[in-house]
Amino acid sequence: MIRLQQDPFEPGALLTGFSAGRSETGAVVSFTGLARASGGGVERLVLEAYPGFTEAQIGRIAEAARARFSLQDLMIVHRVGEIAPGEAIVFVATAAVHRREAFEAADHLMDYLKSQAPFWKKERGPDGERWIEPTARDISDAARWEQERGEAP
Amino acid sequence: MARVLLFGRLSDVAGWRERIIDPAPASLFALRDLIGAEDPALAEALGAKGVQAAVDRVIVRGDAPLGAGAEVAFMPPMSGG
């Protein structure tokens, strides 16, 4: 399930719902990303998406992870609009028979969401606004999955 | 008719986010030139490195024909989630 939403969400409630009724699942892993104040320099994050297109692109990222890690299920909830420091901005959960696949799939999903998902992010602070682009770290985090795959026997 | 959408800093530069262009130009490049002709700052921003275009929600590289009622989006480098 992939969902973009303006309203804040409660990660614990999402995890409870995702974990319920899974008699054939051995592992559920979840990740929650929070908006940071960055030492007071950020009062609001403003996230813009392209409705329809953004969900479709995230769907492609999700399908790649689902196939690669033999996931039983996954959930991605992402905020759009204005987000205050301390609020959850993204929630990812994965379900698999064994924990390794669930851990790695969540890590993989986040690396691709951070570097390739079609969002445009602006930080608003006391000194004005600035647009954010993926950091070198975000790009290299995603690239390591390509390398691991390339080096596999 | 074509519906044009600008994202990220492109809409800040242009001062608009969405516009209907009627009649629609025959191609993506003709549309880009048309909206850039009346706004040099936007023309420069649209030509910047990493700006991508999508026609009917499919990324296109290079020029592309525009059908009736096409939705054209210009997207600066994505920030990621």
Side-chain angles (χ1 to χ4, degrees), chain B residues 7-32:
Chain B
F7 290 93
R9 59 183 162 74
L10 294 176
S11 58
D12 282 358
V13 170
W16 53 273
R17 189 173 295 272
E18 181 172 343
R19 256 181 82 180
I20 301 291
I21 306 281
D22 197 13
S27 75
L28 175 64
F29 282 5
L31 174 76
R32 189 187 62 188

Side-chain angles (χ1 to χ4, degrees), chain A residues 6 8 33 39 51 57 70 79 83 96 105 109 111 113 135-136 139 142:
Chain A
Q6 297 261 351
Q57 296 295 112
S70 306
R79 293 279 303 280
I83 300 146
L109 281 170
D111 283 347
L113 284 172
T135 63
I139 290 163

Side-chain angles (χ1 to χ4, degrees), chain A residues 47-53 78 113-122 129 131-134, chain B residues 5-9 11-12 17 54 56-59 71-73 75-81:
Chain A
L47 234 82
E48 187 183 7
Y50 179 1
F53 179 80
H78 211 296
L113 284 172
K114 288 293 287 183
S115 61
Q116 294 182 8
F119 290 105
W120 295 274
K121 193 180 333 182
K122 187 191 267 187
E129 299 184 334
W131 289 100
I132 308 297
E133 292 183 7
Chain B
L5 306 173
L6 301 181
F7 290 93
R9 59 183 162 74
S11 58
D12 282 358
R17 189 173 295 272
D56 295 327
R57 300 183 183 176
V58 177
I59 299 267
E71 179 177 285
V72 179
M75 303 180 282
M78 296 159 183
S79 308

Side-chain angles (χ1 to χ4, degrees), chain A residues 39-53:
Chain A
V42 180
E43 293 165 348
R44 285 290 184 278
L45 276 180
V46 185
L47 234 82
E48 187 183 7
Y50 179 1
F53 179 80

